[in-house]
Amino acid sequence: MNKVSPSRRRCKERCVAMQYFDKNGVEIKEGMTIRIEDRNFELVYDNTDSYGNPYLGIKASD
């Protein structure tokens, strides 16, 4: 998935985007599927906090 979200585009103009890496040093990006501690797989989403800062996250409704 190579699309850049609007929040990521704005961030390039005014802030440094956070980078996330797994325990093997592989960069985690939007659209990837990752295995979390309980061995379940989760899709990584592009999110924005209440201040407009972009970050990556997983579904938290479980």
Side-chain angles (χ1 to χ4, degrees), residues 4 7 11 14-15 19 32 35-36 40 52 55 58 60 62:
V4 177
S7 63
C11 182
R14 62 182 174 83
C15 67
Q19 288 183 294
M32 292 177 77
R35 184 182 296 186
I36 56 176
N40 286 322
Y55 69 96
I58 59 173
D62 296 339

Side-chain angles (χ1 to χ4, degrees), residues 6-57:
S7 63
R8 292 261 186 248
R9 269 187 249 119
R10 281 192 304 276
C11 182
K12 287 181 182 178
E13 298 170 5
R14 62 182 174 83
C15 67
V16 176
M18 292 293 298
Q19 288 183 294
Y20 300 90
F21 298 89
D22 69 10
K23 65 182 181 182
N24 299 310
V26 177
E27 185 176 6
I28 299 170
K29 297 181 179 181
E30 174 187 8
M32 292 177 77
T33 301
I34 59 172
R35 184 182 296 186
I36 56 176
E37 289 182 18
D38 65 3
R39 299 255 185 226
N40 286 322
F41 289 92
E42 294 285 345
L43 182 63
V44 177
Y45 294 95
D46 181 32
N47 296 295
T48 305
D49 68 17
S50 58
Y51 298 103
N53 300 312
Y55 69 96
L56 298 177

